[in-house]
Amino acid sequence: MAERRMPVFPMPRTAFVLLLLSVIFSVLPHWQRVPSWLLAVFVLVLGWRILVFRQRLQFPARWLRLLLVSAGFVGVIYHHGTIFGPEAGVGLLITAYLFKQLEMYTRRDALLVVILSFFVLATAFLFSKSLYITLYILLVMVLITAALVALNQTDRSINLWSPLRAALSSMAQAVPLMLVLFFLFPRIGPIWELGMQTSTKRTGLSEQMSPADIAELSQSSELALRIEFEDEIPLPRDRYWRATVFDRFDGRTWYAQDAAQVPALNRAELSLAGKPLRYRVYLEPTGQHWLLAAPLADVQGLEHRITSSLIYHTEEAIDSSVSYRVESFPDYQYQQAGISRLQYTRNTALPAGGNQRTRRYSRQLLQQSNGDPAAMVQAIHSWFFTSPFVYTLKPPQLGANTIDEFLFDTRRGFCAHYAGALVFMLRSVGIPARMVAGYQGGEPHPIGRYLLVHQYDAHAWVEYWQPGAGWVRADPTAAVAPHRIESGSLRESLQQQELEDSPFSALSARNLPGMERLRLLVDYMDYLWLKNVVTYNRDSQYRFLRNLMGEVTPQRIALALAVCGGLVVLGIALVTWLPQRQLRRPGIADRAYLRFTRLLARRGICREQGEGIVSFSRRAQAALPEQQDRIQRISELYSTVKYSPVTGTTQHQADKNDRLAALEQELKREVARFRP
Amino acid sequence: MSKPVAALVQALSRVLLGKEGQIKLALACLLAKGHLLVEDLPGMGKTTLAHALARVLGLEYQRIQFTSDLLPADILGTSIFNQNSSEFEFRPGPVFTQVLLADEINRATPKTQSALLEAMEERQITIDGHSHPLPSPFFVIATQNPTTQMGTYPLPESQLDRFLMRISLGYPDPAVERKLLQGFNPREDMSSLPRATDAAGLAQLQQQVSAVFVSDALLDYVQRILAFSRQTNQFSIGLSPRAGMALVQCARAYALVNGREHVIPEDVQAILPAVAEHRLAGARDITGHEGQRLVDRVLKQVDVIAGR
C-alpha cells in the first residue's frame, strides 16, 4: 500500500525555530536520566526534522516511524528494567515526544508538540523542586509559549523577539494570579500517588549498609539536609544527626532495624535535662522513612512515631523536601534503669563463630577494666589512638573474619569499620551495643544562620548500654581521626593522595575565595526558596490563612480567593488599559457630544462607529423632525469646535482660546437642554 | 459652493449625467494637483469625463490610445535629424500638453507605461540628455480596464501610487440611461460646453486648496485611519505616509469643491475609497480590488470621534 502523501503544514520559520528550541530545552533537564543512546537518537531526529523543514528530506514512511518508535520504547524499557516509576515513565514520554517531531505534518500536530513540551518540561519537577530548576522551567515556559504565539503568526522571516515579547507579557500577567492561587487555593491531597521510591535511586543512607556504602557516600557532595538554628550553632563535636540504627550483623554487613516492627518509645524510661537546642530541619528527599535529628528530639510539624530505638519513623517515605521543627535535649538519659530481655538479646547478638582473635582480646580488655563498659570503651579508644590505625576511605579488601583482619592486620578503615569493630567487641563480652548511622558535622553557612550537611558528612557511630547511665554514645572515629569529629572536616583526616578522587578535588575551586562565596550565595538562595516556597504545604498554608483571616472556613477561603483574584485581574486590566485611556481622554466638547449621542441612542438613533457628525445629524434630523433645529445646532457647534478654524479674523491665540471655550460651553448647555 | 468651482461642476454635469459624485472627486483630484486613474469597463464614459474636464478647465488636450506595441518614443517624442540645419531636432510627442488622456494605459507594455509615469512624477522628460519641461499645469487622466480582462499589463503598486485617485464611473441610472438611449450623445454636446475657467483660474483654485483649514481633531481621525490600516492583519500593506498626505490634500480639495473652508470627516470619508483603494492590498489579493472591502472596514470601524 502506498503511503498517502500528507499535505505538509507550512510552518512559519520563527515558530519552527522556537519549537525546536522548546523541544531541546524541555528535554535538557532529563539528559542524565534517559539512556545515553536516546540522546544520540534525539540529535538524529532533530537533524532529520530540520532537513525536512529545509526540504532536503522527506518525512519517514509510516512503517519506518512505527519501527523506530517501537525500538525506542523497547530500548527505554530495557534500560530501566520496568515501565513503572517516574524515570521509566519520563523516558517513554520523551521517546514518544521525540518521534512526534517526525510526524509533525499539520498545524494540529505542531500544537500537540507545544502541549507535550509543557508536559515534558513539567516532569522535571518530579525530580527536583530547587529554585534553579524552577527558574529554568519558567524560562523554558516563556520559550514554549513564544512558539505557540509564533505558530499563529505569518512572518516569513525569522523574528524571535516579537513572539518572545508576547509570551513574556502574557506570562507576566499570569504571575500575580499564580501567586494568589499558590498562597490561597486549598491544597487537596493527591488522589493518586506516584511510587517514587520504588525506582528512584537516591544518594544517602540506606536500609542495608556495608561499610563500603558509607565510603561511597563520602564521595558525594550532594546536600543531605540544612539545619536552621534558633540560637547558637552547636560545636562541631556535638553535631550528631541521628537517622537510624543498625543492630543486626551477619559477619560482613550490618542491617538496619525495621523501625515499623519496633515498639514505640516508652516516655517513662526517658529523662530529659539541660537546655534544649531548638532548630528547624530542611530535609532533602531521602526515599527513606526516617527523620534526621539530634537525640533526644521532640519533632514538630511532621507526622511520625518514635521507636524504642529512638528512630523517628514516618509512615510515608520522604520523597520530597520536607521541613520540621525540632527541640533537642542533648543531655538526655534513656533506659538507665534497665532494658528488656528482648532488647538485650537483640543488642548482643553476633554470628556464632569467627573473629576469635577479637573475641579473645575483648575478654581481656573487659577484665582489665573490671567489667565496666565505660572503662572498656575508653580502653578500646586509647588502643585505637595509640596503635597505628589509619583513617582512610580506601580500605583494603577484607577476608572471612572481617573484624579480626581489620583490627589486627590491615588497621585501615573509616567510621563504619571502627564503629562496627567497637560494637562487635562490646557485644562479644555481653555489653548491649548498636551501630548508629546518620550525619556528623556540617558546614555553617556564613550568611544564613544554618548548617549545611552534605552526603560526605554521613557517619556511623556507636551506642552502648551501661547500667545506671542508659544508652551512651561512643565514637571510635574520634580516637582515630580527631579532626573528623572536632572540626567536622573530613579533608584533614585523609591522606593527601586520597583527596585526588574525593569530592574535594572536584570542589578544589573552594580555594578561590570568590567561588566559595558564590557557592554559598547560590545555596543561600536555594535555602530561602526551600524554606519559603517548596515546604509551603497544607499546614503552613493553614497557619498563613489563620494569621490572615482568623478562623479558617471554606467560605472565607473562597472570599479571599475571589477578592485577591479579582484585585489581581483588575490591577492587570488597569495597568494595560489606563495608559490608552489617558491617551484618548475626550475633552469637554467630545464629552458633551458623546452625551448627545447617548441621549439619541435612547430614542433608538445610534451613531455608527464610523459615522461623521454631519451624516449622523442628517439621519437624526430625519428621525426626529420635531428636534431638527436643536440637533442641527448641536452638530454644527461640535463640528465648528472640532474642525473649523473657529476664529474668523483674529490671529491671536488667546482670542481663539476664549472663543473656543465659549463655543464649548454653549455646546454643553445645548446638550444639557436637549431632551429628545 | 464657491462660484468657479460650482460652475465647473455644473458644466461637467451637463455631459456626464447623474455622476455628480465622480465629477466632484475628479475635480478634487485635479485641484489637489494629482493625476487621476479611471478604471472601468469599456463604454462607461471614461473618455468623456477626461475630455470634458479638459474643456471646462480651458486646457490643452491630447489623447494617446495605449496599445501593446506602443513605444516610449510614441509618447515622449523623438529627435530627428534636420538635413537643412544638420542638427538633431526634438519633435515633442503627445505628452506635451496640459491634459493628457492615457486611454487604456494597462494595454501597453510596462516599459511604455513607465515612460509616462516618469513624466507624471517629474513633470519633465529627458531625451538624449536634454531635459524638456512639460507644460503647466500637467494632468494625466489615465483610464484602465479591469485587470482581469484579457491583454492587460497590470500596473505595479509603485506606479499605482503615482495616481492620487482611482475612481470608477459605474453604470448610469435607469433614468439617465433612458436619456442616452433616446439619442443624447455627450460627445456631440462637448463642443457646446462652456469654458468655466482657464489655466490661471485653475492655479488660483489650487492655491485655495492649500488654504483650507485642517484641524487637529481631523488629523487625529486621519491618523487613526492610517494606524488602523497598519494594525489589522487583513491588510498585507498598510497606508504609507505618502498615502496619508494624499488623504489630507484630497480632503482639502474636496472640501473646497463642496464650498467649505475647513475639512470635516465626511470629506475624508468621501475621498477615502478613491485615494486608498488602489494603495491597499489584502493579504490574498488577485483582482486588485480587495482594497474596496478594506476601505469599507476602515469607514465602519475607525471612530470619527476620539474617546469612547
Side-chain angles (χ1 to χ4, degrees):
Chain A
M1 193 181 76
E3 169 91 356
R4 193 162 56 91
R5 283 265 170 259
M6 298 272 246
V8 176
F9 160 59
M11 197 188 297
R13 292 176 80 88
T14 315
F16 183 74
V17 171
L18 283 170
L19 211 53
L20 214 60
L21 290 175
S22 306
V23 171
I24 292 170
F25 286 114
S26 303
V27 173
L28 202 60
H30 298 292
W31 73 276
Q32 277 184 313
R33 277 183 282 272
V34 296
S36 45
W37 55 263
L38 193 60
L39 291 176
V41 174
F42 182 77
V43 172
L44 279 177
V45 166
L46 288 192
W48 194 332
R49 189 62 188 81
I50 291 170
L51 288 177
V52 168
F53 185 77
R54 303 183 65 187
Q55 309 195 334
R56 305 280 166 84
L57 269 184
Q58 292 281 342
F59 279 111
R62 178 171 299 178
W63 64 267
L64 183 57
R65 271 188 340 250
L66 266 174
L67 194 73
L68 286 174
V69 174
S70 316
F73 277 172
V74 169
V76 169
I77 294 169
Y78 177 76
H79 177 86
H80 290 289
T82 172
I83 58 167
F84 300 108
E87 289 193 318
V90 168
L92 291 176
L93 180 66
I94 288 177
T95 313
Y97 173 60
L98 191 55
F99 286 111
K100 184 70 198 169
Q101 310 299 319
L102 287 184
E103 53 168 27
M104 203 159 49
Y105 302 115
T106 60
R107 200 182 143 74
R108 197 174 137 271
D109 290 328
L111 291 176
L112 187 68
V113 168
V114 167
I115 293 166
L116 274 176
S117 302
F118 279 123
F119 195 76
V120 169
L121 182 65
T123 55
F125 273 139
L126 290 178
F127 304 99
S128 168
K129 288 177 190 154
S130 81
L131 174 63
Y132 305 101
I133 202 82
T134 309
L135 288 178
Y136 176 82
I137 284 178
L138 279 177
L139 278 179
V140 181
M141 263 176 80
V142 172
L143 199 65
I144 302 175
T145 314
L148 185 59
V149 172
L151 271 176
N152 293 291
Q153 291 180 333
T154 50
D155 280 343
R156 262 171 237 118
S157 59
I158 298 186
N159 175 8
L160 294 180
W161 178 234
S162 111
L164 273 175
R165 198 174 41 196
L168 262 178
S169 106
S170 43
M171 291 274 292
Q173 287 171 36
V175 163
L177 209 58
M178 178 189 86
L179 291 179
V180 168
L181 291 179
F182 177 80
F183 284 111
L184 295 181
F185 196 81
R187 286 169 184 247
I188 304 152
I191 300 165
W192 48 272
E193 227 157 334
L194 215 55
M196 294 288 288
Q197 71 280 15
T198 50
S199 73
T200 319
K201 288 191 269 324
R202 289 193 193 281
T203 326
L205 295 171
S206 68
E207 301 269 344
Q208 291 158 27
M209 186 154 59
S210 64
D213 291 334
I214 284 196
E216 201 180 300
L217 273 187
S218 308
Q219 305 287 336
S220 163
S221 59
E222 257 183 63
L223 191 72
L225 62 151
R226 293 188 182 88
I227 305 172
E228 176 194 44
F229 290 92
E230 289 176 19
D231 310 303
E232 288 296 294
I233 298 183
L235 291 174
R237 64 163 176 272
D238 294 330
R239 296 177 195 155
Y240 280 90
W241 317 111
R242 197 173 184 277
T244 189
V245 166
F246 290 78
D247 63 354
R248 197 160 63 77
F249 182 56
D250 66 357
R252 183 160 288 276
T253 306
W254 288 89
Y255 293 94
Q257 245 181 3
D258 184 0
Q261 308 296 324
V262 181
L265 168 76
N266 180 2
R267 289 258 168 200
E269 295 174 314
L270 196 63
S271 68
L272 302 178
K275 196 163 147 271
L277 189 63
R278 294 192 181 89
Y279 52 94
R280 177 169 275 277
V281 176
Y282 296 90
L283 187 58
E284 293 291 304
T286 59
Q288 304 292 349
H289 292 266
W290 56 63
L291 299 179
L292 271 290
L296 187 229
D298 187 10
V299 175
Q300 299 148 7
L302 206 66
E303 212 59 23
H304 70 283
R305 66 183 266 277
I306 311 175
T307 67
S308 60
S309 51
L310 305 182
I311 298 173
Y312 296 80
H313 181 255
T314 56
E315 197 64 42
E316 306 285 337
I318 313 285
D319 288 323
S320 58
S321 302
V322 292
S323 88
Y324 47 88
R325 190 177 172 277
V326 188
E327 209 168 293
S328 282
F329 297 88
D331 301 327
Y332 71 102
Q333 282 195 317
Y334 178 52
Q335 291 184 330
Q336 66 264 52
I339 54 175
S340 69
R341 177 129 300 273
L342 181 71
Q343 268 180 314
Y344 183 84
T345 332
R346 189 194 279 262
N347 287 302
T348 52
L350 282 181
N355 295 314
Q356 290 308 321
R357 277 203 283 176
T358 311
R359 287 171 200 258
R360 258 199 315 278
Y361 188 61
S362 302
R363 278 195 295 277
Q364 189 189 330
L365 280 177
L366 184 70
Q367 272 170 9
Q368 282 170 10
S369 37
N370 301 321
D372 178 27
M376 174 166 168
V377 168
Q378 195 52 51
I380 297 172
H381 278 182
S382 48
W383 176 49
F384 283 162
F385 186 66
T386 48
S387 309
F389 279 97
V390 175
Y391 185 85
T392 170
L393 288 175
K394 284 194 206 155
Q397 284 284 316
L398 297 171
N401 292 315
T402 49
I403 308 288
D404 272 5
E405 281 174 42
F406 169 63
L407 284 181
F408 300 104
D409 303 335
T410 66
R411 292 190 168 178
R412 297 169 70 85
F414 49 88
C415 56
H417 291 101
Y418 292 101
L422 178 59
V423 172
F424 188 95
M425 289 173 84
L426 293 174
R427 281 189 180 190
S428 69
V429 295
I431 301 171
R434 60 196 177 198
M435 185 149 90
V436 178
Y439 297 89
Q440 199 280 326
E443 171 193 16
H445 195 284
I447 309 171
R449 214 167 33 174
Y450 65 94
L451 208 60
L452 288 165
V453 181
H454 296 98
Q455 293 297 354
Y456 56 69
D457 292 320
H459 189 53
W461 62 93
V462 177
E463 280 174 357
Y464 65 93
W465 184 78
Q466 181 162 25
W471 290 96
V472 180
R473 183 177 71 215
D475 191 350
T477 312
V480 183
H483 280 302
R484 172 76 178 82
I485 308 303
E486 292 297 326
S487 63
S489 161
L490 186 58
R491 170 195 293 239
E492 287 166 49
S493 328
L494 294 175
Q495 321 270 311
Q496 188 54 42
Q497 83 277 3
E498 285 197 36
L499 284 173
E500 305 291 312
D501 43 18
S502 80
F504 301 111
S505 60
L507 291 174
S508 56
R510 284 180 175 204
N511 294 337
L512 304 167
M515 283 303 290
E516 169 70 357
R517 221 173 305 149
L518 187 68
R519 183 185 69 87
L520 289 169
L521 192 70
V522 162
D523 185 85
Y524 186 60
M525 302 304 290
D526 201 36
Y527 157 76
L528 290 179
W529 173 255
L530 184 74
K531 179 178 168 179
N532 296 309
V533 179
V534 176
T535 56
Y536 183 81
N537 56 17
R538 213 186 315 182
D539 296 331
S540 12
Q541 186 184 37
Y542 184 80
R543 276 198 300 279
F544 173 72
L545 290 179
R546 206 179 41 203
N547 286 339
L548 198 73
M549 53 181 129
E551 195 191 347
V552 181
T553 62
Q555 291 89 335
R556 287 192 183 189
I557 292 179
L559 188 71
L561 260 178
V563 168
C564 295
L567 280 178
V568 163
V569 172
L570 201 69
I572 292 171
L574 279 179
V575 163
T576 51
W577 175 67
L578 256 187
Q580 294 174 17
R581 170 95 190 151
Q582 207 64 36
L583 205 69
R584 28 172 233 190
R585 215 176 97 81
I588 298 174
D590 289 321
R591 282 204 298 273
Y593 186 75
L594 286 173
R595 174 145 183 252
F596 165 73
T597 59
R598 278 196 298 274
L599 288 170
L600 281 173
R602 279 190 216 154
R603 291 293 303 266
I605 307 158
C606 299
R607 196 180 71 88
E608 301 290 325
Q609 191 150 31
E611 200 168 14
I613 289 91
V614 179
S615 332
F616 179 60
S617 156
R618 229 173 269 149
R619 203 155 60 84
Q621 285 178 40
L624 292 174
E626 69 277 9
Q627 295 279 355
Q628 205 171 348
D629 295 344
R630 195 139 271 174
I631 295 172
Q632 172 79 20
R633 177 82 189 122
I634 289 173
S635 303
E636 256 173 28
L637 273 171
Y638 181 64
S639 193
T640 309
V641 168
K642 294 303 279 189
Y643 303 113
S644 81
V646 176
T647 45
T649 50
T650 17
Q651 289 300 311
H652 296 298
Q653 189 63 36
D655 291 353
K656 230 177 197 176
N657 289 347
D658 286 351
R659 177 129 171 71
L660 195 66
L663 281 171
E664 281 179 342
Q665 288 309 318
E666 193 182 344
L667 174 64
K668 218 172 146 182
R669 276 197 302 279
E670 284 286 341
V671 173
R673 269 181 297 188
F674 182 60
R675 300 266 180 281
Chain B
M1 206 179 285
S2 74
K3 224 173 165 192
V5 182
L8 284 169
V9 175
Q10 211 184 359
L12 285 167
S13 302
R14 276 172 55 187
V15 283
L16 273 148
L17 302 176
K19 294 283 173 211
E20 199 167 324
Q22 279 84 347
I23 290 172
K24 281 184 175 174
L25 281 175
L27 261 181
C29 180
L30 298 193
L31 292 185
K33 300 184 194 171
H35 305 289
L36 180 66
L37 179 64
V38 187
E39 180 178 289
D40 220 321
L41 297 164
M44 305 293 270
K46 300 183 295 264
T47 317
T48 312
L49 173 69
H51 203 161
L53 268 172
R55 184 145 182 101
V56 295
L57 291 170
L59 301 174
E60 224 181 293
Y61 170 77
Q62 285 279 2
R63 171 182 173 157
I64 309 170
Q65 178 66 45
F66 277 52
T67 58
S68 55
D69 56 356
L70 192 76
L71 294 174
D74 297 335
I75 300 174
L76 306 178
T78 41
S79 294
I80 289 172
F81 188 69
N82 186 336
Q83 289 191 323
N84 296 336
S85 60
S86 299
E87 270 180 352
F88 278 100
E89 208 171 66
F90 180 63
R91 282 281 184 83
V95 76
F96 287 86
T97 183
Q98 288 176 313
V99 174
L100 178 70
L101 174 61
D103 216 358
E104 304 190 317
I105 188 171
N106 57 343
R107 287 221 185 275
T109 53
K111 188 177 178 183
T112 312
Q113 286 175 2
S114 63
L116 175 66
L117 291 159
E118 255 180 69
M120 286 163 60
E121 186 70 9
E122 311 290 333
R123 289 175 198 268
Q124 66 169 25
I125 59 165
T126 305
I127 286 181
D128 298 338
H130 292 283
S131 292
H132 306 276
L134 293 172
S136 177
F138 174 69
F139 292 128
V140 173
I141 302 175
T143 72
Q144 82 170 347
N145 298 327
T147 43
T148 43
Q149 290 211 329
M150 297 282 281
T152 56
Y153 298 91
L155 293 175
E157 285 93 340
S158 59
Q159 302 198 341
L160 275 176
D161 205 30
R162 304 270 162 84
F163 290 100
L164 189 60
M165 284 194 192
R166 180 180 77 177
I167 61 174
S168 63
L169 294 169
Y171 293 112
D173 290 342
V176 172
E177 198 155 25
R178 172 63 69 95
K179 214 173 168 186
L180 291 172
L181 296 176
Q182 278 168 350
F184 170 79
N185 190 346
R187 301 224 177 161
E188 278 175 11
D189 260 31
M190 197 77 77
S191 46
S192 66
L193 210 55
R195 295 195 166 199
T197 182
D198 55 5
L202 182 63
Q204 208 181 348
L205 281 177
Q206 289 177 336
Q207 281 290 317
Q208 283 179 32
V209 167
S210 8
V212 171
F213 177 77
V214 178
S215 72
D216 284 345
L218 190 103
L219 290 180
D220 284 347
Y221 177 55
V222 171
Q223 282 195 303
R224 279 199 294 278
I225 290 176
L226 296 179
F228 182 84
S229 80
R230 291 165 194 169
Q231 275 168 7
T232 320
N233 49 14
Q234 281 145 345
F235 301 81
S236 80
I237 43 168
L239 289 171
S240 62
R242 176 153 65 181
M245 282 151 71
L247 269 181
V248 173
Q249 192 60 20
C250 287
R252 278 186 160 129
Y254 194 78
L256 186 74
V257 168
N258 281 302
R260 234 180 300 100
E261 286 180 342
H262 61 267
V263 183
I264 61 172
E266 274 83 353
D267 295 328
V268 179
Q269 294 182 343
I271 53 97
L272 186 70
V275 177
E277 265 178 32
H278 61 292
R279 299 171 206 257
L280 283 176
R284 299 248 165 85
D285 201 349
I286 301 158
T287 60
H289 284 263
E290 189 92 344
Q292 197 176 341
R293 218 168 43 75
L294 299 178
V295 166
D296 285 348
R297 287 186 86 85
V298 172
L299 288 179
K300 283 219 181 72
Q301 296 186 0
V302 178
D303 203 340
V304 173
I305 301 168
R308 193 190 264 210

